Amino acid sequence: MNKNSVFFDEDLDYLRKSLIEHPLYNSMNSLSDIKKFMEIHVFAVWDFMSLVKNLQMNLTCINTPWVPSENSLTARLINEIVWGEETDIDKNEVAKSHFEMYLDSMNEIGANTNKIEHLIRLVKQGKDIFKIIGSLDVSEEIKDFLNFTFSVIKDNKVHVTSAVFTFGREDLIPNMFIEIVRKIKLENKSVESLIYYLERHIEMDGDHHGPMAMNMITTLCENNDKKILEALDSSKLALKKRIKLWDHIYEQIK
């Protein structure tokens, strides 16, 4: 097995294709549908940042006294991704994370943010994340998605976290969202903040962050068969969790 075999796995490609071609995209025909989508999807927007920050913790030095990172290339890659995701510029040229931009978009179209804001309050109180997830008044599909993300983080295998981030999340964002953008632009020309958020993701993840993430996972797997298999298995599971979440949203909209 060579270091690039993970990129050409048939099962992984099939799952990616299933997600990119999911009927959810064509099911959103009204502003009400978009609200339902965002009220569920916002949890995936939020937990994405925990994957990013976990990678930053593992690939850079965030302690004092400072010491150089073991791999300056992966440190640079993740720092650039964090910079873009955590402190981008919104449509009013105000520095905000992409999560905060998403909340602004939800507020603009009148989507309910109470549940995600409740989650943020509990996290700020320092409660155990798995207990928080269990206590949420949300669907089991959302809980399952969140539990998987934080289980990956808890296991703390950097090549696995990087694979879940790259193949299960970052690599898919442009392909998934571009379909939604096209639909929204045709049907709802007034949702400016959401369109800006989606187009920023397409621009940054497709043209910049996506290729950077690919370089990162290749470097971290080190052409090691065991690491590649672990990364591949976790990537497939991440995609299955996302498909399950998409199925849930689709059922809610139908």
Side-chain angles (χ1 to χ4, degrees):
M1 182 182 294
N2 61 58
K3 70 180 180 180
N4 291 319
S5 63
V6 68
F7 299 115
F8 303 108
D9 181 86
E10 290 184 3
D11 291 339
L12 190 66
D13 287 345
Y14 174 77
L15 288 167
R16 291 184 74 256
K17 187 172 184 290
S18 298
L19 196 48
I20 292 166
E21 297 177 356
H22 199 284
L24 169 64
Y25 307 119
N26 290 325
S27 72
M28 288 188 284
N29 297 309
S30 68
L31 197 61
S32 175
D33 294 339
I34 296 168
K35 289 179 184 178
K36 289 178 184 177
F37 170 81
M38 296 186 76
E39 287 167 3
I40 296 173
H41 178 240
V42 67
F43 289 92
V45 176
W46 171 72
D47 79 344
F48 170 80
M49 279 307 302
S50 290
L51 285 172
V52 175
K53 297 302 285 187
N54 180 258
L55 285 170
Q56 188 182 40
M57 289 170 62
N58 279 293
L59 299 176
T60 69
C61 179
I62 60 170
N63 300 315
T64 54
W66 177 87
V67 295
S69 300
E70 292 184 7
N71 188 312
S72 295
L73 173 62
T74 55
R76 178 181 175 85
L77 290 175
I78 194 59
N79 276 335
E80 286 199 30
I81 291 171
V82 169
W83 178 78
E85 297 288 346
E86 195 171 30
T87 54
D88 199 6
I89 302 295
D90 71 5
K91 67 184 180 71
N92 298 314
E93 299 189 352
V94 176
K96 286 186 178 179
S97 68
H98 283 187
F99 171 72
E100 291 168 300
M101 290 186 200
Y102 201 85
L103 286 184
D104 288 344
S105 303
M106 292 180 70
N107 287 321
E108 183 177 79
I109 69 170
N112 191 325
T113 61
N114 289 341
K115 291 182 179 180
I116 187 65
E117 289 176 342
H118 175 64
L119 168 59
I120 297 298
R121 285 193 294 271
L122 293 177
V123 170
K124 286 181 177 179
Q125 293 172 15
K127 298 180 182 295
D128 176 79
I129 186 58
F130 294 103
K131 291 181 179 178
I132 290 174
I133 294 168
S135 71
L136 294 176
D137 180 24
V138 298
S139 67
E140 289 304 313
E141 288 83 358
I142 295 174
K143 291 181 180 181
D144 185 49
F145 189 88
L146 294 174
N147 276 320
F148 171 73
T149 297
F150 286 98
S151 293
V152 169
I153 291 170
K154 183 178 179 180
D155 288 345
N156 205 33
K157 294 182 178 179
V158 67
H159 60 287
V160 169
T161 307
S162 178
V164 169
F165 167 80
T166 302
F167 297 108
R169 308 293 282 268
E170 190 77 356
D171 181 44
L172 287 164
I173 285 172
N175 289 307
M176 292 191 305
F177 281 4
I178 198 167
E179 299 301 325
I180 300 173
V181 169
R182 288 171 180 160
K183 188 78 172 178
I184 290 171
K185 279 188 171 180
L186 289 173
E187 306 289 343
N188 301 278
K189 293 182 174 62
S190 63
V191 286
E192 295 179 0
S193 294
L194 180 56
I195 290 174
Y196 179 87
Y197 166 85
L198 295 174
E199 289 182 339
R200 283 297 288 170
H201 256 295
I202 291 167
E203 176 187 352
M204 296 182 71
D205 296 331
D207 298 338
H208 196 49
H209 288 176
M212 289 169 62
M214 289 292 187
N215 287 335
M216 181 169 61
I217 181 59
T218 300
T219 301
L220 292 172
C221 280
E222 302 175 319
N223 202 22
N224 179 291
D225 288 0
K226 184 175 184 293
K227 287 185 176 182
I228 291 173
L229 284 173
E230 287 180 341
L232 182 56
D233 288 344
S234 297
S235 298
K236 291 177 186 178
L237 187 53
L239 288 173
K240 289 176 182 177
K241 298 293 184 183
R242 177 64 72 105
I243 291 171
K244 184 178 177 182
L245 188 68
W246 255 221
D247 289 343
H248 172 59
I249 301 174
Y250 181 55
E251 289 300 320
Q252 296 299 306
I253 289 175
K254 278 205 309 181

